[in-house]
C-alpha cells in the first residue's frame, strides 16, 4: 500500500477511536451539555482528540506516561462542556484511558503471539499485521465501551467519597500496571513464551476493573434503595403526624364551639346579675384561652393549615416572632410533599432561631406561585454563621441517624418536581429558597 493510503487509514483509525471515546464520555453524562448542543460538542471533542492522538503517534511508538495527556484532555473537555460532579468526570476520564490502553495492549499482545513477529513491527511497519491491529483494536475498544456505558450512564452523582476513592484508585493502579507490562513487552525484555502469560495478566486486570465497577454500582444501587425506603418511612410518618394534627384541630374547633355556647350563657348570667367585675375577669380568661389555640394562617388546605399552624404556633411559644405569607392556590404539588418540605424547613428554622437572643428571634415563611413554579422562602435568625462552620449542613443533633435526612429530604422533594434548593446567608439571617415546578397546572 502507498504511504498516502496508509496515512488515510491511520487518520481514519484515529477518528474512529476519537469518535468512540467522546461518545462514551458524553453518554456517561447522558449528553447533558452546558452551552452547545450534543452534536456540536461531540464534533469538537472528536476533532481535538484526533489531533492529539495523531500528534502523539508522530512523537512516540507507545505513549506510556504520555498517555496522561489523554486523561487531562478528557477532564478538561468534560469540565468545559458537560454537567456533572468533578469526581465522576475524573472517574470517566481515567476509565476511558484505561480501556484505550488495555484494549490496545491486549490486541497487540495477542497478535504478537499469533504471528510471532517483533512487537515493534505491528506499531511501525505498513503490513497486514498493522492493519489487523487497527481494525481489531478499534472493534474491541468500541465493544468494551458499549458494555461499560450500561454502568456509567446509570452511575449517579450520589456515590460517596469512599466509593469514588475505591474505583478511582483501582483504575489508576490498573492503568499503570497495564502500561508497565506493555512497555516490558515492547522493549523485548521477555521471551515469547511469557507474552501469553503477560497477556493473560492484562486480561485479569481488565476483568478486575469491570468486576470492581459492577460491585460498586450494585452497592450504590442498594444504598439508594435503602435511602429511598427510609425517605418513604419518613414520608409516611409525616402523613400520619399531620393527619392526626388535622383531627386535633377539628376536635379543638368542636370544643371551642361548645365552650363558646357555655361562655355566652355564663356572660349573659353575669351581666344579668350586674356582676360586671366577674364578667370582665371571665372575659379576660377566655381571651387567653383563645389566643393559645389561635389559627395563624388559613390557606383552605387542611394539610397546609396543619403544618403551618402547628409549627408557627410552636415558634411563638418559644418567643420567636413569626411572619407568614402564603398564597391559597398551591396546586400541582402533592400535599404530603409540601408537608415534608415545610416540616423539615420549619423544624430547622425554629431550632436555629431558638438559639438566638430573645429579642432577635425570627422565622419568616413566604410561599408564592409564579406561573408553573411554586417558590418557598424560609428565613430565620441565627446566632452565628451556619455555612461557614457547617457548609454541608450536616445534622448536629445527638441522634443523627434519626434526624440526618432533613436536608436530603428537602433536596429530594425539589428534584422530584424538577426544581432546586439554595441555602445562603445574609448577615445573621439564614435563608432557604426552594423552587418547584407544578404538575398539570392550567395557567390560562
Amino acid at each position: 500500500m502507498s504511504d498516502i493510503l496508509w496515512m488515510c487509514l491511520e487518520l481514519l483509525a484515529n477518528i474512529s477511536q476519537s469518535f468512540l471515546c467522546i461518545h462514551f464520555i458524553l453518554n456517561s453524562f447522558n449528553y447533558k451539555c452546558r452551552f452547545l448542543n450534543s452534536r456540536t460538542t461531540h464534533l469538537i471533542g472528536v476533532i481535538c482528540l484526533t489531533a492529539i492522538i495523531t500528534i502523539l503517534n508522530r512523537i512516540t511508538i507507545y505513549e506510556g506516561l504520555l498517555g496522561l495527556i489523554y486523561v487531562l484532555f478528557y477532564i478538561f473537555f468534560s469540565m468545559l462542556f458537560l454537567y456533572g460532579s468533578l469526581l465522576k468526570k475524573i472517574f470517566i476520564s481515567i476509565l476511558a484511558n484505561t480501556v484505550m490502553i488495555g484494549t490496545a495492549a491486549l490486541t497487540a499482545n495477542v497478535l504478537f503471539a499469533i504471528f510471532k513477529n517483533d512487537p515493534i513491527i505491528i506499531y511501525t511497519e505498513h503490513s497486514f499485521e498493522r492493519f489487523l491491529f487497527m481494525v481489531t483494536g478499534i472493534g474491541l475498544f468500541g465493544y468494551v465501551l458499549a458494555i461499560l456505558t450500561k454502568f456509567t450512564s446509570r452511575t449517579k452523582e450520589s456515590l460517596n467519597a469512599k466509593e469514588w476513592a475505591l474505583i478511582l484508585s483501582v483504575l489508576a493502579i490498573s492503568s499503570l500496571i497495564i502500561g508497565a507490562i506493555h512497555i516490558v513487552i515492547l522493549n523485548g525484555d521477555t521471551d515469547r513464551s511469557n507474552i501469553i502469560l503477560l497477556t493473560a495478566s492484562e486480561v485479569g486486570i481488565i476483568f478486575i476493573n469491570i468486576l470492581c465497577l459492577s460491585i460498586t454500582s450494585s452497592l450504590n444501587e442498594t444504598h439508594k434503595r435503602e435511602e429511598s425506603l427510609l425517605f418513604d418511612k419518613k414520608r409516611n410518618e409525616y402523613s400520619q403526624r399531620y393527619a392526626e394534627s388535622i383531627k386535633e384541630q377539628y376536635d379543638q374547633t368542636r370544643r371551642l364551639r361548645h365552650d363558646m355556647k357555655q361562655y355566652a350563657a355564663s356572660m349573659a348570667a353575669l351581666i344579668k346579675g350586674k356582676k360586671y367585675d366577674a364578667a370582665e375577669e371571665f372575659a379576660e380568661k377566655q381571651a387567653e384561652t383563645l389566643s393559645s389555640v389561635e389559627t395563624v394562617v388559613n390557606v383552605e388546605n387542611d394539610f397546609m393549615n396543619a403544618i403551618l399552624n402547628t409549627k408557627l404556633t410552636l415558634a411563638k411559644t418559644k418567643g420567636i416572632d413569626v411572619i407568614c405569607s402564603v398564597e391559597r392556590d398551591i396546586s400541582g404539588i402533592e400535599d404530603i410533599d409540601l408537608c415534608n418540605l415545610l416540616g423539615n424547613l420549619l423544624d430547622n428554622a425554629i431550632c436555629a432561631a431558638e438559639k438566638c437572643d430573645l429579642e432577635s428571634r425570627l422565622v419568616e415563611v413566604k410561599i408564592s406561585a409564579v406561573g408553573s413554579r411554586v417558590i418557598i422562602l424560609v428565613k430565620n435568625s441565627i446566632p452565628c454563621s451556619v455555612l461557614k462552620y457547617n457548609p454541608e449542613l450536616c445534622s448536629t443533633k445527638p441522634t443523627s441517624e434519626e434526624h440526618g435526612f432533613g436536608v436530603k429530604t428537602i433536596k429530594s422533594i425539589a428534584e422530584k418536581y424538577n426544581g432546586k434548593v439554595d441555602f445562603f446567608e445574609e448577615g445573621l439571617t439564614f435563608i432557604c429558597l426552594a423552587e418547584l415546578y407544578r404538575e398539570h397546572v392550567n395557567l390560562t
Side-chain angles (χ1 to χ4, degrees):
M1 296 184 182
S2 66
D3 290 341
I4 296 178
L5 181 58
W6 269 105
M7 286 178 61
C8 292
L9 285 174
E10 295 280 358
L11 181 60
L12 181 61
N14 294 344
I15 293 174
S16 300
Q17 190 176 30
S18 300
F19 178 88
L20 292 172
C21 196
I22 297 299
H23 174 70
F24 169 71
I25 294 173
L26 291 174
N27 213 355
S28 297
F29 292 94
N30 299 306
Y31 277 86
K32 293 181 179 179
C33 303
R34 285 183 178 274
F35 46 84
L36 298 175
N37 62 53
S38 57
R39 290 185 178 180
T40 303
T41 303
H42 199 165
L43 180 61
I44 293 173
V46 170
I47 292 173
C48 293
L49 184 56
T50 300
I52 293 173
I53 293 174
T54 303
I55 292 172
L56 288 181
N57 286 346
R58 296 285 184 181
I59 296 174
T60 181
I61 296 174
Y62 181 70
E63 289 87 346
L65 289 177
L66 286 177
L68 292 175
I69 294 175
Y70 296 131
V71 176
L72 296 176
F73 169 74
Y74 300 149
I75 294 174
F76 174 78
F77 174 79
S78 58
M79 288 292 295
L80 182 62
F81 291 105
L82 300 175
Y83 287 106
S85 70
L86 175 60
L87 284 173
K88 184 173 180 180
K89 289 174 180 177
I90 296 174
F91 160 64
I92 294 298
S93 300
I94 296 177
L95 178 61
N97 194 57
T98 302
V99 174
M100 181 187 293
I101 294 173
T103 53
L106 183 61
T107 304
N109 293 345
V110 170
L111 293 178
F112 297 160
I114 293 175
F115 293 103
K116 299 181 179 180
N117 288 330
D118 189 319
I120 301 300
I121 293 177
I122 292 180
Y123 282 97
T124 58
E125 293 189 2
H126 298 166
S127 61
F128 173 74
E129 290 91 335
R130 171 65 177 166
F131 176 77
L132 189 61
F133 167 68
M134 289 191 295
V135 174
T136 306
I138 292 173
L140 181 60
F141 181 56
Y143 178 72
V144 174
L145 289 182
I147 294 175
L148 291 177
T149 300
K150 296 179 180 179
F151 295 102
T152 58
S153 61
R154 293 201 316 263
T155 303
K156 305 297 182 182
E157 312 298 324
S158 57
L159 287 174
N160 60 43
K162 291 182 179 179
E163 291 168 336
W164 282 121
L166 172 64
I167 54 181
L168 286 173
S169 60
V170 171
L171 283 173
I173 293 171
S174 299
S175 299
L176 293 174
I177 293 174
I178 291 174
I181 290 175
H182 205 55
I183 289 174
V184 169
I185 295 174
L186 289 175
N187 290 337
D189 293 337
T190 184
D191 55 48
R192 298 183 186 279
S193 61
N194 289 327
I195 290 180
I196 296 176
L197 181 60
L198 292 173
T199 303
S201 300
E202 290 178 339
V203 172
I205 293 171
I206 293 172
F207 177 77
I208 288 172
N209 277 268
I210 295 174
L211 185 62
C212 178
L213 178 61
S214 177
I215 292 173
T216 304
S217 178
S218 177
L219 289 173
N220 180 250
E221 290 295 326
T222 301
H223 173 71
K224 286 189 291 184
R225 284 195 297 269
E226 291 176 350
E227 196 169 72
S228 177
L229 289 173
L230 186 54
F231 283 148
D232 289 340
K233 178 184 175 183
K234 295 292 182 184
R235 175 190 174 101
N236 292 333
E237 288 178 359
Y238 268 101
S239 178
Q240 182 178 357
R241 186 183 307 169
Y242 295 118
E244 292 173 355
S245 180
I246 290 171
K247 184 178 182 301
E248 287 178 8
Q249 288 194 347
Y250 177 73
D251 291 340
Q252 194 175 65
T253 302
R254 290 181 61 190
R255 289 194 301 271
L256 282 174
R257 290 180 63 186
H258 177 268
D259 292 344
M260 285 300 293
K261 291 180 181 179
Q262 300 298 324
Y263 166 73
S266 299
M267 285 294 292
L270 290 171
I271 294 173
K272 187 176 181 180
K274 298 182 180 181
K275 298 179 180 179
Y276 301 119
D277 291 340
E280 183 180 356
E281 183 180 352
F282 182 69
E284 289 176 354
K285 288 182 178 179
Q286 290 301 315
E288 291 178 3
T289 302
L290 288 172
S291 65
S292 66
V293 292
E294 66 177 324
T295 299
V296 180
V297 292
N298 181 8
V299 295
E300 298 181 354
N301 180 305
D302 289 338
F303 275 88
M304 287 280 287
N305 286 343
I307 182 66
L308 288 172
N309 288 315
T310 300
K311 297 300 182 184
L312 297 182
T313 299
L314 173 64
K316 284 189 172 184
T317 63
K318 295 178 179 292
I320 300 172
D321 291 333
V322 172
I323 300 175
C324 185
S325 172
V326 183
E327 292 190 12
R328 296 194 174 190
D329 180 21
I330 309 294
S331 57
I333 307 293
E334 291 184 26
D335 290 336
I336 188 59
D337 288 329
L338 277 173
C339 283
N340 272 316
L341 183 63
L342 286 170
N344 279 287
L345 287 175
L346 291 174
D347 281 342
N348 293 339
I350 293 170
C351 182
E354 190 180 6
K355 298 176 182 177
C356 298
D357 294 334
L358 190 61
E359 63 275 7
S360 61
R361 294 179 183 179
L362 174 67
V363 169
E364 179 179 353
V365 183
K366 183 178 180 181
I367 305 176
S368 58
V370 182
S372 62
R373 296 178 299 157
V374 171
I375 299 173
I376 300 174
L377 178 69
V378 177
K379 297 182 179 181
N380 62 271
S381 53
I382 49 177
C384 60
S385 175
V386 175
L387 296 176
K388 181 179 179 180
Y389 300 103
N390 186 12
E392 300 299 323
L393 297 176
C394 298
S395 175
T396 57
K397 298 179 180 179
T399 54
S400 57
E401 182 179 355
E402 177 69 18
H403 299 281
F405 286 86
V407 175
K408 290 183 181 179
T409 299
I410 293 167
K411 290 181 177 179
S412 69
I413 293 172
E415 290 173 0
K416 176 180 177 180
Y417 293 92
N418 299 312
K420 61 180 181 178
V421 180
D422 291 322
F423 300 96
F424 54 97
E425 296 175 353
E426 293 180 356
L428 290 179
T429 300
F430 186 87
I431 303 171
C432 174
L433 179 62
E435 183 178 354
L436 287 68
Y437 286 84
R438 300 191 282 176
E439 300 176 343
H440 313 300
V441 178
N442 187 1
L443 302 177
T444 59

